[in-house]
Amino acid sequence: MPDQWLPGRPPGSQGPNDPIAELQKLWGQIVGGRGGGNGQSPPGPGFSLSPSLLAAILAAVWLLSGIFIVAPDERGIVLRFGRVVREAGPGPGYHLPWPIEEVMKPSVTAIRKEEFGFRTVSVGPPARYVDEDSEALMVTGDENIVKLQFIVQYRIKPDASGPSDFLFKVHDGQRTVRDAAEAAMREVIGRSDIDDALTEGKDRIQTEAQVLMQQIVDRYSLGAEIMTVKLQDVDPPDQVADAFKDVISAQQDRERMINEATGYSNDVVPKARGQAAQMLNEADAYAQTKVRDAEGSAGRFSALQAEYAKASDVTRTRLYLETMEQVVGRSNLIVLDANSAKQVVPYLPLDQMLKAPKPAAAEPAAKP
């Protein structure tokens, strides 16, 4: 029966198809043709492998172990006995096998994130966070305390020395970035008032902190590039949070009233300026009209004077008739000769009575 456990054979004994025995025989053939560990030669034709050939195979395998491939988003750092000897770009490469040389392949495109003032416990949903007050509490420039939580995103510089600097210039690159980020943020907050940190100064704080962080990591030749500094939450300490909320509410009311006053001013002032410009234009037009009228009257008078000098009697009569025409034309007169005045009744101004407004009709009295 083709089973290793034959009837009447105790467990652990080698049957005719025992895999352990077969492996022992194969190993014996490789190292010199010996049998399966019992000192007897295996039946049938066997083959032997010389020690030199075995050493050559092992040496070839050892040499081939130095082949490596660097991904497009990585840089290869080749170390010889722990010292950087060269950097390899994306693609296949070769280094002397271990333990002479080894290769490290850090990513230069991966964005790394560090959290300050809090830690993400679970990404959720919903996400859960734990506050770290030892990192979050900072002193502002006006000697107040603010609870600030922020994140920093950075990556290894993709230039020639960036990966090796990040791996070997400092003992712990990640810890150095955290220390530099926290120191830079505390310095920027120490130069800012609490009102700026809580309200409209957040963008300025983020920009100044990012610039200062980059200066610090460059000073240490860390080989890191600060990509983003983002303030998550900026709050007063929990003990005085309610009082600060009242202050912020009052500031918002002040800003709202200022905006309303500015809007009213922007509405009224242009209208007043328009009315002033209109009045100035009307006054200028009136002045021009009066000047032109005066100049015309003066010119007409000069012309009359010239005509008067030529024929004074005729000019005087014409002026008299023109004046009487104007005066009589504006008057309501009835001319009667002497005979008519003796024969007619006293004149009633009927035309004036017709032009007079009629009295309003009296309303009927209300019935009791």
Side-chain angles (χ1 to χ4, degrees), residues 11-47:
S13 62
Q14 297 179 354
N17 295 326
D18 191 351
I20 298 178
E22 295 295 334
L23 290 175
Q24 290 176 350
K25 292 178 181 180
L26 180 60
W27 174 253
Q29 293 174 357
I30 293 175
V31 298
R34 291 180 299 176
N38 53 6
Q40 300 178 357
S41 298
F47 67 93

Side-chain angles (χ1 to χ4, degrees), residues 114 116 138 150 152 175-187 209 213 216-217 226 229:
E114 298 295 333
F116 297 86
M138 300 183 183
F150 66 100
V152 174
R175 185 63 194 176
T176 304
V177 170
R178 290 191 60 87
D179 293 342
E182 186 173 354
M185 184 59 71
R186 290 186 181 277
E187 180 175 345
M213 290 177 197
I216 294 175
V217 298
I226 307 299
V229 176

Side-chain angles (χ1 to χ4, degrees), residues 77 84 87 106 156 160-170 221-222:
I77 309 298
V84 178
E87 295 186 4
I156 299 176
S161 60
S164 59
D165 289 345
F166 186 80
L167 293 175
F168 303 110
K169 282 291 185 178
V170 296
S221 299
L222 187 57

Side-chain angles (χ1 to χ4, degrees), residues 4 19 21 30 45 72 87 104 108 123 150 188 227 253 326 328:
Q4 133 182 3
I30 293 175
E87 295 186 4
M104 302 180 68
V108 294
V123 295
F150 66 100
V188 173
M227 304 298 294
D253 292 340
Q326 294 177 2
V328 173

Side-chain angles (χ1 to χ4, degrees), residues 120-340:
T120 301
V121 178
S122 174
V123 295
R128 294 193 304 113
Y129 306 96
V130 175
D131 293 342
E132 294 289 340
D133 291 341
S134 59
E135 296 176 351
L137 295 178
M138 300 183 183
V139 180
T140 61
D142 51 0
E143 298 182 356
N144 286 298
I145 297 177
V146 66
K147 183 178 180 181
L148 187 145
Q149 298 175 346
F150 66 100
I151 62 173
V152 174
Q153 292 180 333
Y154 69 98
R155 68 172 182 176
I156 299 176
K157 288 184 177 180
D159 55 12
S161 60
S164 59
D165 289 345
F166 186 80
L167 293 175
F168 303 110
K169 282 291 185 178
V170 296
H171 174 67
D172 187 348
Q174 179 183 4
R175 185 63 194 176
T176 304
V177 170
R178 290 191 60 87
D179 293 342
E182 186 173 354
M185 184 59 71
R186 290 186 181 277
E187 180 175 345
V188 173
I189 291 297
R191 299 197 302 258
S192 305
D193 294 337
I194 190 170
D195 292 338
D196 292 339
L198 294 176
T199 54
E200 67 273 6
K202 294 182 180 179
D203 293 337
R204 178 188 60 80
I205 291 174
Q206 292 175 165
T207 303
E208 292 183 2
Q210 181 176 352
V211 173
L212 185 56
M213 290 177 197
Q214 189 65 57
Q215 293 175 354
I216 294 175
V217 298
D218 290 343
R219 192 181 309 153
Y220 283 98
S221 299
L222 187 57
E225 181 181 1
I226 307 299
M227 304 298 294
T228 305
V229 176
K230 182 66 176 178
L231 299 180
Q232 298 295 103
D233 290 320
V234 183
D235 299 314
D238 297 337
Q239 295 82 352
V240 293
D242 294 337
F244 268 90
K245 288 180 181 178
D246 295 338
V247 173
I248 296 300
S249 178
Q251 292 177 348
Q252 292 175 350
D253 292 340
R254 182 191 65 180
E255 294 297 329
R256 178 179 56 81
M257 296 178 68
I258 291 175
N259 293 334
E260 291 177 356
T262 303
Y264 178 76
S265 174
N266 293 334
D267 180 49
V268 173
V269 171
K271 290 181 179 179
R273 290 176 178 172
Q275 292 176 357
Q278 181 181 0
M279 294 176 66
L280 290 175
N281 293 332
E282 292 177 353
D284 184 61
Y286 179 79
Q288 295 294 332
T289 301
K290 291 300 182 183
V291 170
R292 296 295 184 270
D293 290 344
E295 290 176 351
S297 299
R300 185 172 60 252
F301 181 80
S302 299
L304 291 175
Q305 183 182 10
E307 296 298 328
Y308 184 81
K310 294 177 181 179
S312 59
D313 294 336
V314 176
T315 304
R316 187 184 301 110
T317 303
R318 183 171 63 83
L319 292 176
Y320 173 76
L321 293 177
E322 290 177 354
T323 304
M324 292 304 296
E325 181 181 2
Q326 294 177 2
V327 173
V328 173
R330 293 194 300 267
S331 302
N332 189 10
L333 299 177
I334 298 176
V335 180
L336 300 175
D337 58 4
N339 296 326
S340 299

Side-chain angles (χ1 to χ4, degrees), residues 9 18 26 44 52 64 98 101 105 111 117 155 166 183-184 201-202 240 261 273 277 306 347:
R9 188 182 299 275
D18 191 351
L26 180 60
S52 60
L64 291 176
W98 185 88
E101 290 184 351
K105 297 180 285 186
I111 303 298
R155 68 172 182 176
F166 186 80
K202 294 182 180 179
V240 293
R273 290 176 178 172
Y347 173 73

